[in-house]
Amino acid sequence: MARDPILVVVFLRGGADGLALVAPSSDPDYLAARPEALRVLRKGDGAGRVLRQEVADVDFRFHPAAAAFADLFDAGDLSLIHAAGLPEATRSHFDAEARIERGLFGAAAPPGDPSGWIGRWVQAAAPGGPMPVLAVGAMRPASLLGADAAVAATLDDLILGPGHWLAPALRARLQAGFGEHGPLARPMSDLVGLSDMIGSRLWSGADADPRPYAPAVDYPEGNPVSRPLMTVAQTIKEDLGLRVATVDVPGWDTHVAQADTFARLTRQLSQALMAFWRDLGPLQQDVSLVVMSEFGRRLRSNTGAGTDHGRGNVMLVLGPQAKGERMLGRWPGLANEALEDGADLAVVTDYRAVLAEILTGHMRLADAAPVFPGFTPEPLGFWG
Amino acid sequence: MLTRRMLHIRVLAALAAGASWSPRAAGAATSGAATSGAIGPAERLWLDRLTYGATATEAARLSDLGRAAWLERQLSHPVSDPGLEERLAAARLRISYGAGSDEYGNRWRATDELRPLSWLKADPADLVPLQDWGPGKGMDYSERSRPAQEVIAASLIRAVHAEGQLREVMTQFWHDHFNVDSGKDETTTTTFPAYDATLRAHALGNFRVLLGDVARSPAMLYYLNNADSIASPANENYARELLELHTLGAGNYLNDRYSDWRAVPGAQDGLAEGYLDLDVYEVARAFTGWSVGDGRWLVEGEQAPRTGVFHYVARWHDPYQKRILGREFPPNRGPLADGEEVLDILARHPGTARFVCEKIARRLLADDPDPALVARLAQVFLAATEAPDQIAQVVRALVLSPEFDAPPTKLRRPFEVLAAILRAARAEVVSPEIVWHWELARAGWRQHEYGPPTGHPDRLAAWTGASSLNRLVDLALYALEDWWGTARLDLSPLAGPDETLRAFLARHAAGLSAAAADGIAAEIGGIYLGAEGLDGPAQALPDKKRHDAARMAMAFAALTPEFLFR
């Protein structure tokens, strides 16, 4: 039975260096701007995997630690959109994250509307099911404002005191004790509802612990991205009506000694995503996953072998419907006059164009305008 | 369509207008009186806003002194606190690791011991070796991370036991304002004790002094990479967060409105109202060379001293002219002059005054404090920029304002929930393990290890996810059990030989929630004891059973709106 389509949003917090993830490895301006350690090389042990499709006469290569992405790209499951980002120039993490996650700009941003783009999708699509939206982690990203969402690192975390003999009494207290209108009344009642629902599926009172998730493949151990993606896979497989899940991956703010940190983060991200993808098996058909960050990083490195905040970045879209193995959008180049403010990869594709196409294509939303009011996307050509 | 969020906003507005829903009904059950001293709900709320939770001792003190004198006692409380020092000296924190070796051929033995918190007051120079790697310098990473772990363990002891409660509350405020993730790596773990001491020393002092000490703190210099900022290009990480998070705030980041510095209001008169990316770049240049004396290599044949404190490297500094917020900086000035002037400008900027005062009001009073109140506080802040007690003056103005009598709308955050439960229970925190730290992390609270430089969020919506709330349930259940070993407590003593079980249970519940106390007493009686015994003497129960019953009453009382809101 075909499920409703599912979107997974992986947000790389801190501003991931797209020029090291998918690198214009032969571009003379790229070669001139960065020391070898901050580039993707074309020769030797550390050479990056080349993208088979030539784009703008540039030899784009994946970072050598992103071999799993190269495999997914070659398999036709992954599309890339480079030089994408915010239409408004900001190089502040939190300002950029807030703008991206709200997705409201200029005249289209009604004063006082705090909703996020996923929140508006929920309002437009009105998904049913017991748990349509899941934010993996302890905090709810701003993109979910305006929607009900389960916020948890693992499904077990939603079960009230499993095995504790006082749990039934506490459950009653949470349900009744917060009044009709207090600000915690609804969150507490949501917790009780989620606990009842998850608990009945994962935990029989006879066992000491909730039933652990048994993935179809092994996820890499000691990899901080594995657990959150396992939670998403488990939620999909438990058939809880999941439609959108968000996963935050921190640590990409590489102002110093970028080379080692970036390689480690990229290896963790790509290997965990590959495990997730294989774990889904035939359910891949129902899932699209987008990888994004608040901005890219400066073309020229600083004196600490790191890079500062930039603008344009690469976005990754994983999913069989995305007709992968393509680099979409336009590549503006890195010549000084092509850079934004003479410093950063320019933003030539509005990030909303990518998300809007996923919403209308994969998620089968008739019209993305309620999600991104005032924005008319130019189709990038993933779907259709 | 009425969204849930809008509904919440309406409910909060109704609350503010004094409508029916209130976690602290004015006619709260009288059974609270035994624990809360002779104070009423309003005084109780006042204490809950200014401490880590009202206790009988503090209630009695407030009752004796009155609000104004109680506040002055807190505002002038010295940093040194003999009772607390004694507890910190007696505290032991486990360190445990297996035998190991490293790539340099170093080997070390397995260790499992309870150690004193001996790094808390160490000379920073003595901590530098914990950053060393190489032959003869091997150790388990637990040794390198130990100094920060000690600060984390101490933080709960301080929150629960410090006499200077308001200083502790404000120290945590500054930890979030000037956030450093102590767990970043061995540079931040080893410099975190000094950083904690710096924030505590100036928590109620002068903002410019605090800002300057933070700018020179190795922990901050490492965390935001300024220690490695060499001309040129400079590292922009600290410069950006200095403007966005420490002083002017994101609301004064005007990059999407102006591309030319001359266009920013005020810039051509010598003080721009807000900042652009251009200012970030220039501020970064001003702080090049502000680094740490950790023995780092400076130039062929020259190393920084191994002092473990701030070290300025003149040859790393970009000496040429700069323009920051419309002000011209001449070239080739003396050492540190560029950075110090940036801090001078920022600490006295009206934008900083508004941003910092709003955050203080948000911390102590309400998520969205009245703008008129914030404006008044900003005036106090600006009038006192040279005063040694500038921050205390702002806090005093806030606490004594009529707005401070508003009904409770602040949700206690996870660390505050834990501390308040332990205070109400009169627990003695020993924290030989910091299991509580990992439990709080599951609720989103990373005490001294919050990754992003924003610090923990301070609005209700951030803490009402189902998983975070579920961790509060766990905290209520387990904070009062012994198996974390976090605290010693004995809840069995009676108020008097004739105390009934009902009164005994209500007394414990009332320490957290006077309004719900009687109902909880009946509920616990029904679950645990059989209701028929409630009106008999509590003395009839064995100590252990009485302790457990009281513990349950407190756990239930912790899960009430009256306790969770302040």
Side-chain angles (χ1 to χ4, degrees):
Chain A
M1 185 186 77
R3 295 180 190 220
D4 285 333
I6 296 163
L7 169 61
V8 182
V9 180
V10 176
F11 205 111
L12 311 183
R13 302 280 167 184
D17 186 13
L19 290 172
L21 186 60
V22 179
S25 63
S26 64
D27 186 313
D29 294 306
Y30 180 69
L31 296 171
R34 292 185 168 205
E36 202 171 283
L38 297 190
R39 279 191 276 120
V40 173
L41 306 181
R42 307 175 71 194
K43 293 184 186 133
D45 292 343
R49 282 262 293 274
V50 68
L51 272 60
R52 286 207 300 244
Q53 184 196 32
E54 282 278 301
V55 178
D57 300 324
V58 176
D59 179 7
F60 277 98
R61 288 170 185 260
F62 281 105
H63 191 280
F69 283 155
D71 290 341
L72 288 166
F73 188 81
D74 290 350
D77 284 341
L78 186 68
S79 284
L80 309 171
I81 306 91
H82 224 314
L86 269 172
E88 296 173 346
T90 174
R91 291 173 181 82
S92 148
H93 295 295
F94 315 107
D95 191 32
E97 289 177 6
R99 287 170 197 250
I100 284 179
E101 298 194 306
R102 300 264 159 105
L104 297 169
F105 299 92
D113 182 348
S115 64
W117 71 271
I118 297 172
R120 290 191 299 279
W121 173 81
V122 170
Q123 290 167 10
M131 199 164 124
V133 184
L134 169 69
V136 181
M139 296 285 173
R140 176 201 312 259
S143 53
L144 296 181
L145 290 171
D148 286 338
V151 185
T154 70
L155 292 183
D156 296 4
D157 282 351
L158 292 169
I159 304 174
L160 269 169
H164 199 291
W165 71 278
L166 279 177
L170 284 167
R171 180 186 175 286
R173 172 150 290 281
L174 297 188
Q175 226 171 11
F178 285 81
E180 300 261 314
H181 305 297
L184 281 186
R186 178 63 190 260
M188 286 297 189
S189 126
D190 287 349
L191 167 59
V192 169
L194 285 166
S195 173
D196 289 352
M197 192 258 300
I198 306 280
S200 68
R201 285 169 189 253
L202 299 189
W203 185 62
S204 77
D207 299 325
D209 294 306
R211 171 166 52 82
Y213 176 54
V217 301
D218 289 335
Y219 284 67
E221 283 184 26
N223 180 332
V225 194
S226 290
R227 184 67 246 185
L229 289 174
M230 283 171 76
T231 299
V232 177
Q234 180 186 20
T235 309
I236 292 171
K237 291 186 190 181
E238 287 290 338
D239 212 4
L240 302 174
L242 184 75
R243 300 296 310 281
V244 179
T246 62
V247 173
D248 284 344
V249 183
W252 298 84
D253 194 19
T254 49
H255 285 274
V256 295
Q258 171 172 311
D260 289 350
T261 307
F262 186 84
R264 172 175 51 79
L265 291 168
T266 299
R267 187 171 301 111
Q268 289 169 346
L269 174 71
S270 59
Q271 291 180 353
L273 272 178
M274 179 58 107
F276 170 76
W277 200 239
R278 292 174 52 218
D279 184 18
L280 288 183
L283 295 171
Q284 288 171 3
Q285 288 303 322
D286 303 321
V287 177
S288 181
L289 181 148
V290 62
V291 180
M292 60 195 297
S293 190
E294 67 261 36
F295 43 59
R297 304 194 76 82
R298 193 77 41 85
L299 170 61
R300 295 177 196 92
S301 54
N302 62 32
T303 46
T307 53
D308 292 296
H309 303 178
R311 289 281 287 123
N313 205 354
V314 67
M315 292 174 73
L316 281 60
V317 180
L318 176 62
Q321 311 86 344
K323 294 187 195 160
E325 206 188 353
R326 291 183 303 171
M327 183 125 130
L328 301 162
R330 189 169 68 79
W331 174 249
L334 298 173
N336 209 63
E337 61 277 12
L339 297 176
E340 188 166 319
D341 301 329
D344 299 319
L345 174 63
V347 173
V348 297
T349 298
D350 191 316
Y351 80 100
R352 289 175 294 178
V354 180
L355 300 179
E357 195 154 326
I358 295 172
L359 292 179
T360 53
H362 171 67
M363 298 292 276
R364 303 199 288 268
L365 185 70
D367 179 6
V371 177
F372 296 116
F375 176 64
T376 310
E378 287 185 27
L380 290 157
F382 291 54
W383 280 273
Chain B
M1 188 181 129
L2 183 69
T3 65
R4 176 144 312 109
R5 187 177 171 80
M6 285 161 64
L7 181 66
H8 283 175
I9 290 166
R10 286 190 192 176
V11 167
L12 289 172
L15 263 179
S20 60
W21 181 84
S22 171
R24 289 163 200 264
T30 49
S31 48
T35 306
S36 309
I39 60 170
E43 278 75 24
R44 168 74 183 256
L45 171 60
W46 208 70
L47 280 180
D48 280 340
R49 284 183 169 152
L50 300 174
T51 71
Y52 275 103
T55 60
T57 311
E58 220 50 70
R61 193 172 277 142
L62 177 60
S63 180
D64 285 351
L65 296 175
R67 289 189 189 191
W70 185 91
L71 179 63
E72 290 313 313
R73 180 176 181 277
Q74 285 289 320
L75 289 175
S76 61
H77 201 284
V79 177
S80 166
D81 179 336
L84 190 58
E85 296 304 325
E86 216 169 280
R87 286 187 165 94
L88 292 174
R92 297 290 181 273
L93 175 65
R94 183 173 301 282
I95 184 164
S96 176
Y97 50 84
S101 60
D102 66 17
E103 62 197 279
Y104 303 101
N106 299 307
R107 292 176 181 285
W108 52 86
R109 280 189 304 229
T111 294
D112 182 14
E113 59 194 44
L114 284 167
R115 254 188 229 168
L117 308 182
S118 47
W119 288 128
L120 290 184
K121 291 180 165 180
D123 182 333
D126 294 339
L127 284 156
V128 176
L130 297 186
Q131 292 190 30
D132 293 342
W133 301 78
K137 296 166 180 171
M139 65 188 89
D140 189 88
Y141 191 78
S142 305
E143 297 287 357
R144 303 183 190 275
S145 62
R146 173 80 185 179
Q149 300 291 294
E150 290 184 4
V151 177
I152 292 166
S155 71
L156 186 64
I157 299 175
R158 292 180 185 279
V160 174
H161 296 297
E163 284 271 310
Q165 280 283 302
L166 186 49
R167 180 180 296 279
E168 287 307 314
V169 167
M170 289 304 291
T171 301
Q172 182 68 49
F173 169 80
W174 294 117
H175 266 297
D176 280 325
H177 183 82
F178 293 113
N179 185 64
V180 167
D181 173 5
S182 73
K184 181 185 180 193
D185 58 28
E186 68 275 14
T187 63
T188 46
T189 57
T190 55
T191 51
F192 205 73
Y195 190 62
D196 181 58
T198 294
L199 297 187
R200 182 166 294 100
H202 302 299
L204 293 164
N206 179 276
F207 182 75
R208 172 64 182 85
V209 173
L210 174 60
L211 186 68
D213 279 9
V214 168
R216 292 162 186 253
S217 282
M220 182 61 81
L221 288 162
Y222 287 127
Y223 173 60
L224 292 181
N225 309 125
N226 206 80
D228 296 314
S229 189
I230 306 170
S232 173
N235 191 306
E236 295 164 15
N237 201 5
Y238 170 70
R240 184 172 291 280
E241 307 312 1
L242 170 66
L243 293 167
E244 176 168 337
L245 300 176
H246 299 174
T247 59
L248 295 174
N252 288 308
Y253 177 48
L254 307 178
N255 208 57
D256 61 337
R257 270 176 264 175
Y258 309 103
S259 53
D260 182 345
W261 70 271
R262 292 175 198 83
V264 180
Q268 300 203 60
D269 305 322
L271 186 63
E273 283 181 12
Y275 67 98
L276 311 178
D277 282 344
L278 303 176
D279 294 295
V280 175
Y281 305 151
E282 297 278 63
V283 170
R285 292 176 61 215
F287 285 101
T288 44
W290 288 48
S291 189
V292 181
D294 55 6
R296 64 181 54 218
W297 182 86
L298 300 176
V299 74
E300 194 60 44
E302 190 184 331
Q303 284 181 297
R306 285 168 60 86
T307 55
V309 298
F310 177 72
H311 181 68
Y312 177 68
V313 186
R315 65 162 57 83
W316 286 1
H317 185 65
D318 179 341
Y320 302 116
Q321 66 273 23
K322 306 168 180 76
R323 183 188 302 110
I324 294 168
L325 296 174
R327 193 166 301 181
E328 304 284 351
F329 284 47
N332 298 311
R333 299 202 291 180
L336 304 169
D338 284 341
E340 293 291 349
E341 184 171 347
V342 170
L343 298 177
D344 285 343
I345 294 171
L346 293 172
R348 292 163 175 76
H349 195 290
T352 300
R354 282 192 301 274
F355 179 62
V356 171
C357 290
E358 182 178 12
K359 283 187 73 175
I360 292 174
R362 176 171 300 123
R363 180 82 290 270
L364 298 180
L365 179 59
D367 284 5
D368 294 300
D370 181 353
L373 170 64
V374 173
R376 290 195 333 261
L377 298 179
Q379 288 305 318
V380 174
F381 183 99
L382 290 171
T385 49
E386 310 305 317
D389 64 341
Q390 180 190 14
I391 299 161
Q393 289 191 35
V394 171
V395 171
R396 182 185 294 114
L398 168 66
V399 173
L400 299 180
S401 72
E403 288 90 341
F404 206 71
D405 289 330
T409 54
K410 286 296 287 188
L411 182 66
R412 289 190 207 263
R413 300 181 296 181
F415 180 76
E416 298 150 25
V417 168
L418 175 62
I421 292 174
L422 293 171
R423 277 172 67 78
R426 302 189 202 201
E428 181 65 37
V429 177
V430 286
S431 200
E433 321 263 354
I434 47 173
V435 184
W436 59 267
H437 176 57
W438 305 112
E439 286 296 316
L440 292 180
R442 295 175 64 212
W445 185 273
R446 305 293 308 267
Q447 177 71 341
H448 298 329
E449 291 185 345
Y450 193 76
T454 49
H456 294 95
D458 199 9
R459 289 177 186 277
L460 177 128
W463 303 100
T464 54
S467 173
S468 291
L469 292 179
N470 200 11
R471 299 287 78 71
L472 297 191
V473 176
D474 290 347
L475 277 184
L477 282 174
Y478 300 138
L480 298 165
E481 285 189 9
D482 294 339
W483 62 270
W484 283 357
T486 300
R488 285 194 295 262
L489 70 164
D490 178 6
L491 302 173
S492 64
L494 299 167
D498 300 329
E499 191 172 33
T500 64
L501 191 53
R502 187 187 300 279
F504 170 81
L505 293 170
R507 175 163 61 85
H508 283 284
L512 298 168
S513 174
D518 295 329
I520 288 171
E523 197 175 344
I524 298 297
I527 295 172
Y528 191 57
L529 302 161
E532 67 280 359
L534 268 178
D535 293 310
Q539 211 167 26
L541 276 189
D543 284 2
K544 170 76 169 71
K545 193 155 187 181
R546 209 159 59 227
H547 169 85
D548 284 348
R551 182 167 73 66
M552 267 178 249
M554 294 188 73
F556 278 43
L559 297 171
T560 57
E562 194 195 25
F563 173 72
L564 291 174
F565 286 93
R566 61 167 178 82

